[in-house]
Amino acid sequence: MTQPSQLRIAVAGASGLIGTALTRSLEADGHEVVRLVRRPARTANEAEWDPKRQYVHAAGLAGCTAVVNLAGAGVGDRRWTAAYKKELRDSRVLGTAALAEAIAALDEPPRVFVNGSAIGYYGDTGEHAVDENAPAGEGFLPSMCVAWEEAAGAAVEAGIRTVFARSGLVVARKGGAWGRMFPLFKAGLGGRLGDGRQYWSFIALHDEVAALRHLIDTEELSGPVNLTAPEPVTNREVTAAMGRALHRPTLFTAPAPALRIVLGEMASDVLCSQRVLPARLLDSGFTFAFPTIGEAVGAALR
């Protein structure tokens, strides 16, 4: 594995939770980051794109060693109406296809295309632990993840090393699903969801960023790679860890029927069990800084 002293890396979704942390990390180490923006580019470190129109100003990606695609509407941002499910899918599939086709057409394409994906690919695994060899599950999220990964086909066919970063629940104090949990637990209103037996496969934000950089740098990695901590835990264990870290009681519960009324179809994602292991990440030599739920929550609070 070799790496120049400075890389030029394009990031789509650079303003999101993970994208912001990734670009900060890359720039702190002296790398040049090109942000994909949905307006005319104002600097040499911006490139215009429009996922809905499947447009990418490809010249702005010239000279990039890697392209990282983290763009997509937030899964938990709104109730899953038919219109929002279409937005969730299109924001990922159309954007991925546009980027894959743009970089495949470059005279000097990037060495690697790291495309976001999610452990939603596996659906509900119950108590059964799965790794990257497991098939896709059934339902909206698995079908969306399959289409999301397939949309990168142009990059794969062009011989660009393409990695699908199947991320778990990112533990962060602000942003994402966990960012909405912290205020509730801090107020003493936290508690388990449903019966609490469902597995949550999490990853600390620090480790998420480190893993994405590992995918960029590790030339033998391609295809799906699970970005989850090595010790998935149940929702009951998450609840207990949050209570301990914040020194608050966790007496409240959200029964499954109530969640289905409030969240609609999205409740199935909250209540399903996903026990996902990062087999390929570990096999490639990656080391987690915060492998346990207690450490991940503590890191987020710091």
Side-chain angles (χ1 to χ4, degrees):
M1 177 170 75
T2 59
Q3 178 180 333
S5 57
Q6 184 186 52
L7 303 178
R8 179 174 165 88
I9 299 172
V11 179
S15 62
L17 169 67
I18 301 169
T20 297
L22 176 63
T23 55
R24 184 184 299 122
S25 172
L26 289 168
E27 289 175 336
D29 284 345
H31 301 301
E32 181 183 2
V33 176
V34 177
R35 292 166 170 81
L36 275 79
V37 295
R38 296 172 190 181
R39 54 167 172 73
R42 295 170 184 160
T43 71
N45 288 337
E46 292 183 342
E48 183 181 1
W49 82 317
D50 186 333
K52 290 184 178 179
R53 292 194 296 117
Q54 292 187 271
Y55 166 76
V56 179
H57 184 61
L61 304 180
C64 286
T65 306
V67 173
V68 181
N69 178 24
L70 303 172
V75 171
D77 287 358
R78 287 166 49 189
R79 192 181 179 93
W80 287 3
T81 62
Y84 195 60
K85 285 167 69 175
K86 184 177 187 300
E87 183 175 344
L88 290 172
R89 183 184 176 97
D90 287 354
S91 65
R92 289 162 172 77
V93 175
L94 298 181
T96 296
L99 277 174
E101 290 166 9
I103 61 177
L106 289 173
D107 291 337
E108 294 186 18
R111 292 206 305 259
V112 59
F113 180 37
V114 177
N115 196 61
S117 186
I119 61 170
Y121 178 95
Y122 303 107
D124 193 333
T125 73
E127 295 187 358
H128 181 59
V130 299
D131 62 18
E132 291 87 354
N133 292 316
E138 297 180 356
F140 170 67
L141 285 180
S143 66
M144 181 183 74
C145 289
V146 169
W148 192 2
E149 295 182 8
E150 288 179 345
V156 177
E157 292 168 10
I160 299 168
R161 180 169 68 87
T162 302
V163 191
F164 303 110
R166 292 179 181 168
S167 294
L169 292 166
V170 177
V171 184
R173 188 171 59 179
K174 295 181 179 179
W178 227 283
R180 290 189 284 274
M181 287 171 53
F182 271 111
L184 288 174
F185 277 86
K186 191 172 183 180
L189 300 175
R192 72 176 190 271
L193 303 179
D195 62 17
R197 297 175 185 170
Q198 68 272 30
Y199 275 90
W200 282 17
S201 294
F202 67 93
I203 185 168
L205 178 59
H206 173 96
D207 285 332
E208 172 80 6
V209 170
L212 287 169
R213 294 192 58 172
H214 182 76
L215 299 184
I216 293 170
D217 296 339
T218 307
E219 295 177 3
E220 61 266 29
L221 282 175
S222 63
V225 180
N226 295 333
L227 270 55
T228 59
E231 301 179 27
V233 291
T234 65
N235 175 254
R236 285 177 182 266
E237 293 171 302
V238 168
T239 300
M242 291 285 283
R244 284 193 300 271
L246 293 165
H247 308 291
R248 293 292 188 274
T250 55
L251 303 176
F252 289 86
T253 62
L259 286 170
R260 292 190 178 98
I261 292 170
V262 173
L263 301 178
E265 186 180 348
M266 188 170 62
S268 61
D269 183 49
V270 172
L271 294 168
C272 82
S273 182
Q274 294 192 308
R275 193 175 185 181
V276 180
L277 303 178
R280 298 195 66 208
L281 203 55
L282 292 173
D283 289 347
S284 66
F286 182 79
T287 300
F288 287 86
F290 306 104
T292 69
I293 187 61
E295 291 170 317
V297 171
L301 288 173
R302 290 193 296 273

